[in-house]
Amino acid sequence: MKLFNRQTWCRLLRCLPPAMRGKARLANLILRNDLDAKDVSVVDSQGLTYWVPSLREPIAFFLLIDGVYEPSTMNFLNKYLKPGSVFVDIGANIGLFTLPMAGRVGPSGSVIAIESSPSILPYLKRNISTNKISNVRLEPFAAYEIDQEALPFFEAASTSFGMGTIA
């Protein structure tokens, strides 16, 4: 018999500070059976819904237990981006910065989301659609230092979905 479900455990884990020593280890222990789920949705601390390929991947895992990924980066962006701004998210992945910044810059601003991974792109599109965001322009390309038509792209495993590369 399970004491709590994944949602309840995550709500409790989110009460602990993101940088707390041992939090990730505790979360792994508590959620070990739930982390094998594939193609699941995670709701962040702002109420945005993200579809992720795997909860075992660090981006999804920390979004799940903290409600935010890279809180210091998010705080920085929230401090400096204003309504009407343009935000460029290079390597947008599943939209962890694209979605909240689309709300931050508002309808008078815009977000350009650049994502090169053919396997992650559908998740980014789905997350934009699920959250009914209309001020994002999606660019399915790689950002690179030279102008070249075709570069090989190497996909990462679903447990490392943020690690695709052209190298």
Side-chain angles (χ1 to χ4, degrees):
M1 180 178 97
K2 284 179 103 171
L3 183 60
F4 294 125
N5 63 21
R6 178 177 60 208
Q7 188 176 17
T8 303
W9 278 119
C10 290
R11 209 171 20 251
L12 291 169
L13 287 164
R14 287 181 183 188
C15 294
L16 302 173
M20 181 182 156
R21 280 181 58 97
K23 179 180 178 180
R25 187 172 292 153
L26 175 64
N28 265 304
L29 179 67
I30 292 169
L31 299 170
R32 66 182 171 270
N33 295 329
D34 292 314
L35 296 179
D36 290 325
K38 304 281 190 233
D39 293 320
V40 296
S41 65
V42 177
V43 178
D44 74 1
S45 57
Q46 294 182 21
L48 295 166
T49 300
Y50 297 84
W51 287 91
V52 298
S54 168
L55 291 175
R56 291 224 176 260
E57 199 282 332
I59 291 171
F61 177 74
F62 287 104
L63 181 63
L64 180 71
I65 68 168
D66 292 333
V68 64
Y69 182 70
E70 293 188 7
S72 58
T73 302
M74 196 65 72
N75 289 337
F76 174 85
L77 292 172
N78 279 321
K79 180 177 179 181
Y80 291 102
L81 280 176
K82 305 292 181 218
S85 296
V86 175
F87 175 67
V88 180
D89 190 355
I90 300 173
N93 201 285
I94 61 168
L96 287 164
F97 296 111
T98 296
L99 276 57
M101 292 308 110
R104 180 79 179 138
V105 301
S108 63
S110 64
V111 173
I112 301 168
I114 302 170
E115 178 52 50
S116 59
S117 171
S119 65
I120 294 303
L121 203 57
Y123 288 92
L124 177 57
K125 288 178 180 178
R126 185 176 186 184
N127 292 339
I128 292 168
S129 173
T130 296
N131 291 283
K132 298 175 176 51
I133 295 174
S134 60
N135 61 341
V136 172
R137 188 174 93 207
L138 185 56
E139 297 292 343
F141 303 109
Y144 195 64
E145 65 189 15
I146 61 171
D147 187 14
Q148 187 172 338
E149 281 297 314
L151 292 170
F153 185 81
F154 302 96
E155 289 285 354
S158 67
T159 54
S160 302
F161 62 79
M163 301 299 174
T165 182
I166 57 173

